[in-house]
Amino acid sequence: MTESALETDRAAGALPNRGSDSHAVAARFSALSHPARIEILKHLSASNSCCCREVVDRFDLAQSTVSQHLKILVEAGLVRFESDRQRSRYAVDRAALADVSASLNALVNSCCSGR
Amino acid sequence: MTESALETDRAAGALPNRGSDSHAVAARFSALSHPARIEILKHLSASNSCCCREVVDRFDLAQSTVSQHLKILVEAGLVRFESDRQRSRYAVDRAALADVSASLNALVNSCCSGR
DNA sequence: ATCGTTCATCGGCGATAAACGATGGACGGC
DNA sequence: GCCGTCCATCGTTTATCGCCGATGAACGAT
């Protein structure tokens, strides 16, 4: 972790968090910043729940690559993981997704109201 | 640009755009995927319009680094640029930002309705 | 017990991102 | 003209991403 750039804010005192930590928000956007992951999200939500293989068949990416993308989505908290036998079930965490959307809305609002 | 992963979709024919091109959406999220850029956005919107220097003073990043971040935001279409004498004025493009927010909302909705 | 399937992880590779210092162009002021 | 300021860009370094094939664990079925 770079842990330097924005720490100015903290170091400069004052502003403890200022609403939602931009670091955390950025992390979630980061998970959404790849077309494959967006498509995977759509696919997951359409099928309600998928195993890795299913996704692999859908997009022609190597299984390892898909697994990686799924991992990133899970780590970002956007997708929930559940081990089911030898399969792995992945499902969109709609609440979390809505939350990200809310964060963005908040940012947009802060940009407009702060005008 | 990798231009390989999701191109499967295109190459496989059919789906020309499927609503909003996930590629384009991902690109915008990518611009938002760095904490510094989020903070810069907030700062820009608070001050309505800033020159580069102003941002540099605010966050302790090198001038070149800030300039780069600003460039990324401009290229993503989230910030508008205007050359004003020897200064450079940067201002949030609120419409574009709202647009990104709308894209995300659409994604969330497609995830919930597609259930 | 031996396959076949599913999946996560490792190691490697090329490409991109992120940060910086240094350079030089464009202006304004002296 | 000569500085000082503001800024974009270049070149470099380091870290991370994105992709893959290969490996091995876990499990079901035969």
Side-chain angles (χ1 to χ4, degrees):
Chain A
M1 274 300 171
T2 56
E3 202 70 37
S4 62
L6 276 297
E7 305 330 289
T8 304
D9 279 342
R10 282 208 285 103
L15 344 170
N17 246 353
R18 194 201 329 221
S20 47
D21 183 16
S22 61
H23 214 284
V25 177
R28 311 206 122 178
F29 284 144
S30 183
L32 291 173
S33 72
H34 193 289
R37 289 195 286 271
I38 291 185
E39 289 297 325
I40 289 176
L41 264 187
K42 286 183 189 170
H43 182 63
L44 285 187
S45 65
S47 310
N48 202 12
S49 140
C50 290
C51 62
C52 180
R53 183 82 209 309
E54 207 171 341
V55 180
V56 171
D57 288 343
R58 184 82 163 178
F59 311 97
D60 72 351
L61 290 172
Q63 178 267 325
S64 55
T65 304
V66 170
S67 187
Q68 187 104 347
H69 280 310
L70 285 169
K71 185 182 181 185
I72 290 173
L73 288 171
V74 168
E75 281 174 346
L78 300 179
V79 164
R80 246 168 311 131
F81 166 78
E82 186 186 355
S83 184
D84 173 26
R85 318 296 166 191
Q86 84 270 40
R87 308 205 163 219
S88 294
R89 314 231 107 249
Y90 290 95
V92 176
D93 187 332
R94 303 173 199 285
L97 206 49
D99 202 61
V100 179
S101 184
S103 294
L104 184 49
N105 273 328
L107 177 59
V108 173
N109 286 340
S110 93
C111 283
C112 291
S113 66
R115 196 176 64 80
Chain B
M1 275 301 171
T2 56
E3 202 70 35
S4 63
L6 274 297
E7 304 331 287
T8 306
D9 279 343
R10 281 208 286 105
L15 345 170
N17 247 353
R18 194 200 329 224
S20 48
D21 183 16
S22 59
H23 213 285
V25 177
R28 311 206 122 177
F29 284 144
S30 183
L32 292 172
S33 71
H34 193 291
R37 288 195 287 271
I38 291 186
E39 289 298 326
I40 289 176
L41 264 187
K42 287 184 189 169
H43 182 63
L44 285 188
S45 65
S47 309
N48 202 12
S49 139
C50 290
C51 61
C52 181
R53 184 80 209 306
E54 206 171 342
V55 180
V56 172
D57 288 343
R58 183 82 163 178
F59 311 98
D60 71 352
L61 291 172
Q63 179 266 324
S64 55
T65 304
V66 170
S67 186
Q68 186 101 351
H69 280 309
L70 286 169
K71 185 182 182 184
I72 289 173
L73 288 170
V74 168
E75 281 173 348
L78 301 179
V79 163
R80 243 168 315 129
F81 166 78
E82 186 186 356
S83 185
D84 174 26
R85 316 295 166 194
Q86 83 270 42
R87 308 204 163 218
S88 295
R89 314 232 107 247
Y90 291 95
V92 177
D93 185 333
R94 303 172 200 285
L97 206 49
D99 202 61
V100 179
S101 183
S103 295
L104 182 50
N105 273 328
L107 177 59
V108 173
N109 286 340
S110 93
C111 282
C112 290
S113 64
R115 197 177 64 79

